[in-house]
Amino acid sequence: MHMGVKYYLRLYKDYVRIFLYKAKEYKGDFLFGILSIFVKQCLLFWSIYFIFMNFPSVKGWDKSDFYFLYAVSVIGYGICYTFFDGLWMVGQQYVQQGDFDRILIRPVSTLFQILAERINIDGITSIIIGVYVLIKSRLLVLNGNVAVNIIILVIICIMSGLLYSGMLLIFSSFSFIMLDSIYLMTLVNSFGDFGRYPIVIFPKFIQIILTFILPYGFASFYPALFFLKYSSRFYMLFFEELLVLILVWVLGLTLWKNGILHYKSSGA
Amino acid sequence: MKKYFSFFKMSFIRNLEYRSQSIFHILGIFFQSLLVYYLWNAISGSNKKLTGFMVLVTLLSDFMQSNAGTVLGNKIINGTVSEELIKPLRLDLRLISESIGNSFFRLFTAIIPTLLIFTVVGYLHSPTAFRFLLFCFSSLVGCFIIALISLFVGFLSFIFDNWWGAKVMLDTIISFCSGAMVPIQYMPSFLRNILFALPFNYSISVPSLIYTGSISLINVYKALFVQITWLLVLIVMFGLCWEKAQRRVNAYGG
């Protein structure tokens, strides 16, 4: 179980290569996947555009604020979909059908295998669209040093992706007990949709849920405050977010480890 | 007819069996409606009619969501479709009955309770009895229309194996074209004119307008007429495609 980072990197590269072979073999499918994500994201951004064609601002937040928040969250979702999509399949594919047996007998981390077996390169589409909208939403050029802003933005987006996937990890671990927790994951994920908007437009109790219970507020709203309201509290926000991220991942990994102990093979 | 009704019943019962799944789904619908309510309440500056319309569109989209296409797609991909075609019943009717069974399960467990809660809290106005009847009728026709469209998408599996992509595409297109992302009347005129004519508008948007009372009765009758016409057109088109598809399966050998 104690292989080095280098070993894992090499292994991951091989998995990526397998994915690329698959994409080459089923070219139509791959392109269709990219097209469907492209259409989805375009229509979502278009909708925001249409909303602000009719309503100039929403409780003091204007179009570019909405674009910005949405873009950060789309990039976060994109990262999560590209690299962590295997978590969705834990119940259906691995626990219910007993496929987890195969994972367990290998001398490699279980979580790593599940993540690596399902890499969706087509998720890059959402990341690209998100980046395009970020650039378009003009916020990069404002307020000081462009290079610093870009670095901060990259960090924010990666953290957002890690937060979405950490939350998935927590709730996918329940699959080992419930056989399939995909519906629970969908439910939790639907709270993630709240996080795509300035959460202060929602009532207090939802803000509290999004901050303390299901911390999706940290996926784009809190970090984006730095750019949107030029909060000087950035470093505070940064550490708060880091803390949330660490808590989520520690909880997720603990649950995962305990979940595996509950795994019973289907005998297949 | 009776055998298809038993499929309808079966999918209803299956949902009851998988209780935990259903409970999470119900909560999901409730929170999604809440999100839509608060979001549009903020966007529209507490415009009750618009907010109510968006909540109804969300609920109806969920009611009408159909898995007929994905089931068909899966059967085509793994070849079991040929087995199904030998059985003494029509696969297309069976899939539609199952899909409607699922819809009705969600209707009774999730959509009606959410509607009631929203009405009691005062988020939604209740319509007149007559409008409510028209709303039910229009939603039911819409449910069939969406199930048929979903089956059409299932045919895509003859070309692609990627039914997941097809599902994402269909869900997105339905939610955009039915006004679930932005109400159609707020879109630019060229787009509005196209979308107003499509069946998505008549299946989801129109019943919601009937419910919130934002459409005059004369226009309701006109819309219902177009809606039924769409249903008939789709049935005929589907029948033709189904014939062709069956021949294609035979050629494949399943």
Side-chain angles (χ1 to χ4, degrees), chain B residues 121-138:
Chain B
V121 180
Y123 286 176
L124 267 177
H125 290 308
S126 44
T128 59
F130 182 60
R131 269 182 184 270
F132 186 72
L133 277 178
L134 288 174
F135 162 77
C136 292
F137 176 74
S138 175

Side-chain angles (χ1 to χ4, degrees), chain A residues 163 167 170-171 184 187-192 194-195 199 206-219 244 248, chain B residues 31:
Chain A
L163 182 67
M167 294 297 286
I170 291 179
F171 290 96
L184 177 61
L187 171 62
V188 172
N189 219 36
S190 68
F191 275 91
F194 281 93
I199 66 171
I206 290 192
Q207 291 181 38
I208 290 172
I209 293 177
L210 291 177
T211 309
F212 297 108
I213 301 170
L214 301 168
Y216 282 118
F218 289 92
V244 169
V248 165
Chain B
F31 283 115

Side-chain angles (χ1 to χ4, degrees), chain A residues 26 29 32-33 35-36 40 43 47 50-51 54-55 58 81 178 183-184 187 191 194 197 202-203 205-206, chain B residues 21 24 27-28 31 35 38-40 42-43 50 160-162 164-166 169 172 176 181-182 186-188 191:
Chain A
Y26 300 95
D29 282 0
F32 192 65
L35 182 70
S36 64
K40 183 179 176 180
L43 289 182
S47 309
F50 291 152
I51 289 174
N54 295 281
F55 305 96
V58 175
Y81 171 76
M178 302 164 48
Y183 288 86
L184 177 61
L187 171 62
F191 275 91
F194 281 93
Y197 304 100
F202 297 123
F205 78 95
I206 290 192
Chain B
Q21 278 184 16
F24 290 133
L27 287 174
F31 283 115
L35 164 68
Y38 290 129
L39 183 65
W40 280 90
I43 291 174
L50 179 56
F160 305 111
D161 284 350
N162 193 342
W164 186 86
M169 191 87 118
T172 317
F176 183 77
M181 291 183 186
V182 191
Y186 289 118
M187 295 179 185
L191 204 63

Side-chain angles (χ1 to χ4, degrees), chain B residues 7-245:
Chain B
F7 280 114
F8 170 88
K9 233 168 48 190
M10 234 161 61
S11 65
F12 201 94
I13 292 167
R14 193 181 309 127
N15 278 308
L16 280 178
E17 257 338 287
Y18 290 94
R19 222 163 299 134
S20 66
Q21 278 184 16
S22 302
I23 289 170
F24 290 133
H25 188 84
I26 292 163
L27 287 174
I29 294 173
F30 180 73
F31 283 115
Q32 208 199 344
S33 317
L34 217 54
L35 164 68
V36 168
Y37 177 82
Y38 290 129
L39 183 65
W40 280 90
N41 201 31
I43 291 174
S44 69
S46 306
N47 178 342
K48 263 258 154 79
K49 265 196 174 155
L50 179 56
T51 316
F53 170 79
M54 287 311 288
V55 170
L56 277 161
V57 167
T58 312
L59 288 174
L60 281 183
S61 311
D62 188 80
F63 168 61
M64 291 175 192
Q65 205 179 57
S66 169
N67 67 343
T70 16
V71 175
L72 176 66
N74 268 329
K75 283 191 193 300
I76 292 172
I77 288 163
N78 60 29
T80 45
V81 69
S82 52
E83 268 167 49
E84 300 283 347
L85 289 173
I86 305 170
K87 290 178 188 163
L89 53 88
R90 288 187 53 180
L91 177 61
D92 49 350
L93 292 183
R94 181 195 143 178
L95 290 174
I96 288 183
S97 335
E98 280 178 348
S99 155
I100 306 260
N102 286 327
S103 289
F104 270 78
F105 178 79
R106 293 196 295 269
L107 177 69
F108 289 119
T109 55
I111 290 156
I112 292 178
T114 308
L115 263 183
L116 281 178
I117 292 172
F118 272 55
T119 310
V120 169
V121 180
Y123 286 176
L124 267 177
H125 290 308
S126 44
T128 59
F130 182 60
R131 269 182 184 270
F132 186 72
L133 277 178
L134 288 174
F135 162 77
C136 292
F137 176 74
S138 175
S139 313
L140 193 64
V141 177
C143 194
F144 278 98
I145 291 180
I146 299 288
L148 273 173
I149 292 173
S150 163
L151 273 183
F152 267 112
V153 174
F155 282 144
L156 281 179
S157 305
F158 280 117
I159 310 165
F160 305 111
D161 284 350
N162 193 342
W163 59 267
W164 186 86
K167 192 182 151 39
V168 169
M169 191 87 118
L170 178 70
D171 289 350
T172 317
I173 287 177
I174 288 181
S175 81
F176 183 77
C177 295
S178 64
M181 291 183 186
V182 191
I184 300 175
Q185 61 263 35
Y186 289 118
M187 295 179 185
S189 57
F190 75 97
L191 204 63
R192 200 165 48 201
N193 293 335
I194 300 171
L195 294 189
F196 269 143
L198 291 181
F200 307 106
N201 170 39
Y202 290 100
S203 338
I204 297 175
S205 202
V206 165
S208 311
L209 286 174
I210 297 175
Y211 192 99
T212 53
S214 323
I215 178 172
S216 65
L217 278 178
I218 303 232
N219 285 333
V220 172
Y221 299 133
K222 276 189 204 155
L224 286 179
F225 177 74
V226 181
Q227 194 187 17
I228 292 167
T229 315
W230 259 119
L231 181 65
L232 295 176
V233 168
L234 283 170
I235 288 175
V236 171
M237 267 166 61
F238 181 77
L240 294 175
C241 284
W242 186 247
E243 284 289 305
K244 276 220 167 109

